[in-house]
Amino acid sequence: MLIGEVARRSGVSSRMLRHYDSLGLVRPTGRTVGGYREYSEADIRRIFHVEGLRSLGMSLRQVARALADPAFTPATLVGDLVRRTEDRLRREQELLDRLRAIDASEPAGWDGVLHVVELLHGLDSPSPSRRQQAALTPIEDVPLLARAVLSEANPNVAGALRWALARAGADGVAGVAAGMSSADAAVRRRAVLAIAELPGDEATAVLAGALDDPDGDVRRHAALAAGRRGTTEAVPVLVAMVAAGTNDVEAAEVLGTLALDPGQGQRILDALAGELAAGAAVRIRVAQALAELPGTLAHPLLRQLGEDEDRAVALIASALADALGGRPGP
């Protein structure tokens, strides 16, 4: 088969076929009387082998080595190609994210583009101090701030970013709330911490939605923030925090505030009482939480705990009941 027919059937240009010949990669088996290249079926199969390996990102030198060495094993080379491809995709994803950030900022001219690029360089710097410095400069680009908040792992830089985002008020909720749908629990934790510092009903609704998050830290942060906003749906999580001893003092304080609502006081009391079947350490924490409830609501239950079989529980509950007995009601 002559070179023109091979090019037509294989999709490889005549010029590339001549290049393969010059490299010794695919040499035609024969020549016609007129000196034209003539390819056999075996030659054509080799052409397809070359093109297949090139499609994996292999260089012509790597392809030649693979086809020339019968003992060649592809594992190492393919592994290297995988790593190089992953690196390239990561760089391209970073570029795409940067372009999207610039596009979202809607710059009016090249000065605006360059300003966003400079800000991105600061926020994406490998140096935490530089990222923190960038966060503390006036930033009006809320989507860019939200992106930085969701990706920042350094606690000091994250705090500065949340502070910067809080200055945007309720406008910052939408961008950060997108992080609550991430499969990465760390991203959801960053999102809920940022939303906790933002005002408005939209932020409160997002916090309420996070109360059943599969990640315990997300649930706890959401419960504390939502409870402080008067969200009574946070009560079960807050009670569980008291029982588990995780941020139990903060949780008890929030429960005490929620219990100021007469309709919630008895509900919270009953929920705490439901934890008393657990061990002595849990009963002590429950007693301390009961003391945060308003007026004398918890007084009878504390008196009951004052006769607990565990001496430490009994002493603490009795002391709290005495103190509570002298406290005026709401």
Side-chain angles (χ1 to χ4, degrees), residues 149-151 176 178-180 182-192 218:
V149 165
L150 294 176
S151 62
V176 184
M180 295 306 303
S182 172
D184 187 343
V187 174
R188 300 199 305 278
R189 289 180 208 126
R190 294 169 197 146
V192 78
V218 174

Side-chain angles (χ1 to χ4, degrees), residues 295-322:
T296 58
L297 178 65
H299 193 266
L301 187 55
L302 281 171
R303 283 298 182 200
Q304 178 183 326
L305 282 172
E307 299 178 2
D308 194 273
E309 61 184 19
D310 184 279
R311 180 169 174 77
V313 174
L315 288 173
I316 291 173
S318 295
L320 291 171
D322 290 343

Side-chain angles (χ1 to χ4, degrees), residues 107-326:
W110 284 112
D111 286 345
V113 171
L114 294 174
H115 172 72
V116 176
V117 169
E118 182 180 359
L119 184 57
L120 283 167
H121 277 302
L123 293 174
D124 292 339
S125 170
S127 167
S129 60
R130 187 178 175 194
R131 295 199 305 274
Q132 187 173 22
Q133 184 178 9
L136 293 174
T137 60
I139 303 175
E140 298 179 358
D141 193 323
V142 176
L144 185 59
L145 266 176
R147 167 183 169 271
V149 165
L150 294 176
S151 62
E152 182 56 63
N154 182 284
N156 295 326
V157 181
L161 287 168
R162 290 197 299 272
W163 172 80
L165 188 66
R167 289 186 299 175
D171 292 341
V173 175
V176 184
M180 295 306 303
S181 60
S182 172
D184 187 343
V187 174
R188 300 199 305 278
R189 289 180 208 126
R190 294 169 197 146
V192 78
L193 285 172
I195 293 168
E197 298 182 21
L198 298 177
D201 293 340
E202 185 181 359
T204 302
V206 175
L207 291 169
L211 292 171
D212 59 356
D213 192 276
D215 182 78
D217 283 341
V218 174
R219 291 196 304 275
R220 289 187 285 271
H221 289 309
L224 289 171
R228 291 183 181 116
R229 295 169 185 240
T231 303
T232 56
E233 290 86 347
V235 168
V237 180
L238 293 167
V239 171
M241 291 169 65
V242 170
T246 307
N247 298 103
D248 52 298
V249 174
E250 293 174 86
E253 290 173 351
V254 176
L255 286 169
T257 301
L258 290 172
L260 291 171
D261 179 350
Q264 293 299 321
Q266 187 62 47
R267 176 194 172 203
I268 293 171
L269 178 66
D270 293 343
L272 288 169
E275 301 293 336
L276 293 176
V282 175
R283 297 201 298 279
I284 288 173
R285 289 193 291 271
V286 168
Q288 292 168 333
L290 288 170
E292 295 292 335
L293 301 188
T296 58
L297 178 65
H299 193 266
L301 187 55
L302 281 171
R303 283 298 182 200
Q304 178 183 326
L305 282 172
E307 299 178 2
D308 194 273
E309 61 184 19
D310 184 279
R311 180 169 174 77
V313 174
L315 288 173
I316 291 173
S318 295
L320 291 171
D322 290 343
L324 197 61

